[in-house]
Every structure is written in C-alpha cells, then in structure tokens.
Amino acid sequence: MNMRIVVMGAGAWGSALALHMHRRGADVQLWARNPAARLTSGAMPRLPDYPLPESICVSDAVPAHADLILVVIPVQHLASVLPLLPAGVPAILCCKGVERGTHRFPLQILADARPDIPAGLLSGPNFAHEIAAGLPAAAVLAAGDKGRAHEWAAHIASPSFRLYASDDPLGVQLGGAAKNVIAIAAGTAMGAGLGENARAALITRGLAETGRLADALGGQPATLAGLAGLGDLLLTCTGEASRNYQMGLALGRGMTPENASKLLKGVAEGVPTSGALLALARQHGVSVPIIETVSDLLAQSITLSEAQNRLLNRPLKTE
C-alpha cells in the first residue's frame, strides 16, 4: 500500500513537496485554504510552471488517517492550523523562522499546542522550483530522537532529494531562521553596490554570530557547518530566487521595507524573524550585530548609511 501523505500549505514549497512525494509513489493530498485557487491547468498560483497531476487531491479538509503530514505553513501563521492536525500522526514541519511576540521556534509552537503529535523538522538549501523540477538537492530532517529522524527521512528521501538525519532540532531551526535575516543583509549590500567582498564578509560573520547564539540557546554550533546552516545560508544569500535576498536588494536600492515587501511573490520570513532573533540574543547576552542592524534597518530606525557605518566602525576583534 502506498504511503498516505498530507501536505498542508499550497504555496510554492508545499506544491513542490507534493509533487516530490507524488513522484516518490505516495498518495498525496494537498491542503489549501482556498482549493478553488487551483487553475484549470492543474498548476498552483505560486508554482505555475509545474502542474499538479490529477491524482493529487487539493482540498481544505485534513483526512483523519495519514502516514505523515508535511506542514508547510509560514511560521507566523503556523499556530492557526495546528488544531486541524489529526492526533498521533507524525508531522514534519517545513517552515523556517521565529514566531513574533513569543520568540518560539516552529517545533516549540507545535509542542505547546499539540503535545500529542510526534514531530520533526525539514530544513536545508532548497528552492521550491528546483525540487518541483526533480533537480538534485539535499536537506536535513531533525528530531529529538535520531531514530525517528532517520525513519522519517527514509519516507521522504529519493535519489534526487538526499536527506540527512539530525538530533539537533534547535540548531537546525536556528540555522533556517537566521539565514533569512543574513540574506537580507547580503541583498542590501549588493543592492547598494557595496560589492562581493562585503557580501562575503556578511555571510561569514553572520554565520559566526549565529553559532554564538546556537551555543547560548543549547544547540550544537557544529550543526551550522552543515546543510541547515552554511548550506542554506549560501543559497539564500546568493540565489536570485531567494525572497529574503530580493528584499535586501530592494532595500539597498532605496526602497522602504513596505514597498519592497509588495514586490515579493511570497513571504520574506527574515522580516519578522529579525526582531524575534534579536530579542532572543539580548535575552541570552549574545552579540549579534548583523541581525541587530537588519532589524533596525527594517524598523527604519537607522538609514542605510548608518547601518554601513555601524558595522564597519565596530572595535577590531580577534576572529
């Protein structure tokens, strides 16, 4: 019997994962808030070049019985869908960020609302359109129990989508959250014409401050040297398809955060995440100058010139 998979969230990433699991041989249902948004061609609005096969059901109902649920809902809206999850069915969260106000990571949000659900988290350097096309990629599946992480990874992995198991869900979640903020910084530097050297410096020092924060929060800094850290950071800070990088490009070219957001096809999670990560860093006494500068730039409490001066004129230190 084929695996029964529910993918919750019909944006680009959810649609891509639905296509991936269908190619893998699973029976797939794609949950959407508005199922009527499916076009006559079968394509979903956020991934128009990749039509869904007719055998993928698009519905606003969640079946009571499934083998695995992939939850692909933006972090800021994750709590709103958790009551829909059937009890006992493993849920793999496929979102990145920190909840504004509560400063919770995705698995914390789920654990607080639905402790009856075994859960893991999927993260890594993956653009939706490439997964939809079946191009080779790799990612990490993290859970507190490495045995479960391996089991769930085996259900999702394929020859074109290689998964690694991790028992450091906090480090994996932090890497996926912080890279979006650093990508805004990298995009801003490129948009302002500051050059490739500046972008490389932001990527490297951004990774360093993320490692400090991981250590303070109880994660494993070594996790950030892997796919969920450095890998995702490099992709998001250099790939033109990255919404957070696009957000930064627009800011660097002089647009306001509000107007820059209107240009994006989807959510730039780094915008709400920057302030939440900064609050966590301050709570634990961790210096995160790049995250702090991005947060202030998005809040329009500093100008682009002031942001540049703040980062470059800090006291010299030993690396």
Side-chain angles (χ1 to χ4, degrees), residues 22 46 96 149 163 167 178 189 210 230 244 253 262 270 289 302:
H22 176 267
R46 293 285 174 82
K96 302 171 183 178
L163 294 190
D167 61 357
T210 305
L230 179 60
N244 293 282
R253 292 166 181 162
K262 292 176 182 177
I302 60 172

Side-chain angles (χ1 to χ4, degrees), residues 93 96-98 105-108 121 123 168-178 228:
L93 303 185
K96 302 171 183 178
V98 183
F105 290 101
L107 285 172
Q108 292 175 288
L121 182 125
S123 186
D168 181 23
L170 195 149
V172 169
Q173 290 176 102
L174 177 60

Side-chain angles (χ1 to χ4, degrees), residues 45-60:
R46 293 285 174 82
L47 206 64
D49 295 332
Y50 299 93
L52 299 180
E54 286 296 327
S55 56
I56 294 181
C57 172
V58 182
S59 170
D60 60 359

Side-chain angles (χ1 to χ4, degrees), residues 172-186:
V172 169
Q173 290 176 102
L174 177 60
K179 61 97 183 186
N180 285 330
V181 183
I182 306 303
I184 293 176

Side-chain angles (χ1 to χ4, degrees), residues 59-151:
S59 170
D60 60 359
V62 179
H65 302 287
D67 295 307
L68 202 61
I69 297 181
L70 306 183
V71 184
V72 198
I73 302 293
V75 169
Q76 307 308 323
H77 305 289
L78 178 60
S80 68
V81 305
L82 296 182
L84 303 176
L85 299 183
V89 178
I92 307 301
L93 303 185
C94 307
C95 50
K96 302 171 183 178
V98 183
E99 189 177 46
R100 189 165 32 202
T102 68
H103 310 150
R104 295 180 298 176
F105 290 101
L107 285 172
Q108 292 175 288
I109 300 171
L110 176 59
D112 289 344
R114 298 296 305 273
D116 57 317
I117 294 177
L121 182 125
L122 181 70
S123 186
N126 306 134
F127 282 152
H129 65 281
E130 293 193 4
I131 299 299
L135 296 176
V140 176
L141 202 153
D145 182 332
K146 187 176 279 190
R148 277 186 163 175
H150 276 288
E151 176 189 347

Side-chain angles (χ1 to χ4, degrees), residues 260-304:
S261 295
K262 292 176 182 177
L263 295 177
L264 303 178
K265 296 179 180 178
V267 178
E269 279 286 359
V271 176
T273 296
S274 62
L277 277 182
L278 177 58
L280 279 174
R282 286 174 172 168
Q283 180 182 339
H284 290 84
V286 178
S287 172
V288 288
I290 296 173
I291 292 172
E292 181 177 22
T293 299
V294 171
S295 179
D296 288 346
L297 188 63
L298 290 168
Q300 297 183 274
S301 59
I302 60 172
T303 65
L304 184 58

